[in-house]
Amino acid sequence: MTSIIDGEAVAADIRDDLQGAVDDLADAGARPTLATVLMSEDPASETYVSMKQRDCEELGIGTRDVELDADAPASDLLEVVDDLNADPDVNGILVQSPVPDHVDYRDVVEAIDPEKDVDAFHPENVGRLVAGYPRYKPCTPHGIQKLLAAEGVDPEGMDATVVGRSRIVGRPMANLLSLKEDGGNATVTLCHSRTENLAEKTRSADILVVAADVPGLVDGDMVGEGAVVVDVGINRVDADTEKGYELVGDVDFESAKEKASAITPVPGGVGPMTRAMLLWNTTKAASRQHGVDVTLP
Ligand code: GUN
């Protein structure tokens, strides 16, 4: 029987476990607070940001909601970041990407105080992760680590193949899985658009993480017998539905399910974990900044 990994349930457990830490911090006068910054009229980005705000509110994490016109100068966004950096009541800053073309997202990320960088995108935090002493772990790969642990999968000694080398998912996922620490110690292959014989590399994986943003890239023929398959893709494809589209992953679920021992669905797999780990990082940020120790799940 293939196990369908329930990301909603694991994320709910993490949120429950985080609640105690958030309450302890609030009691100590150190309530975690996340600032989201949106500079986009893209409905998907607007939805993501409002979901992140709602997640915080449900746990009693404070929020700041900053919105800028998409045609405002880049300097306006950098000023907002400076103000949030200087605000002692704000522990985490998330600037939703993508930002408009006239803004260089790298400049924005580098402007964020690394202590408040709950996305873990700042080069200092990326560097610490690669060096093996992460401050914050990026939310999606960290969430996948937690999902594997909840499924009873210890990557130690396993062959893990990651498909996709993005800054947000693929590259940090490969780094995390190869770290010499719990949830790591795997032998990692990082594949991308120039990889030759992709199917050979995916088929030999005990753990297969697909984050390529290509709908249905990996089908059952590319999955090894008994592999654990994690599908990070969320692609809108045209469909005869009320909305005119449906969400599909990078993995062809039906055929991959026949080979996998466990597999994440889309939606309901990785997505909820990404959101839960943002709450986790925000709580950790408040703990660090206020010097109040709490136990994190
Ligand atoms: N856009 C898509 N995913 C993310 C994310 O994890 N963080 C931010 N800041 N923007 C995103």
Side-chain angles (χ1 to χ4, degrees), residues 52 94-98 105 119 121 140 168 274:
K52 290 167 187 177
L94 178 145
V95 179
Q96 184 68 25
S97 73
Y105 193 63
D119 268 325
F121 293 168
T140 300
I168 297 182
T274 299

Side-chain angles (χ1 to χ4, degrees), residues 35 135 163 178 202 235 247 254 279:
R135 177 187 280 131
V163 182
S178 63
T202 57
N235 308 289
L247 293 179
E254 290 306 324
L279 304 172

Side-chain angles (χ1 to χ4, degrees), residues 6-19 59 272-273 276:
D6 186 347
E8 290 287 359
V10 179
D13 286 347
I14 288 182
R15 284 197 303 270
D16 279 353
D17 290 347
L18 266 179
Q19 185 72 69
L59 232 59
M273 294 301 294

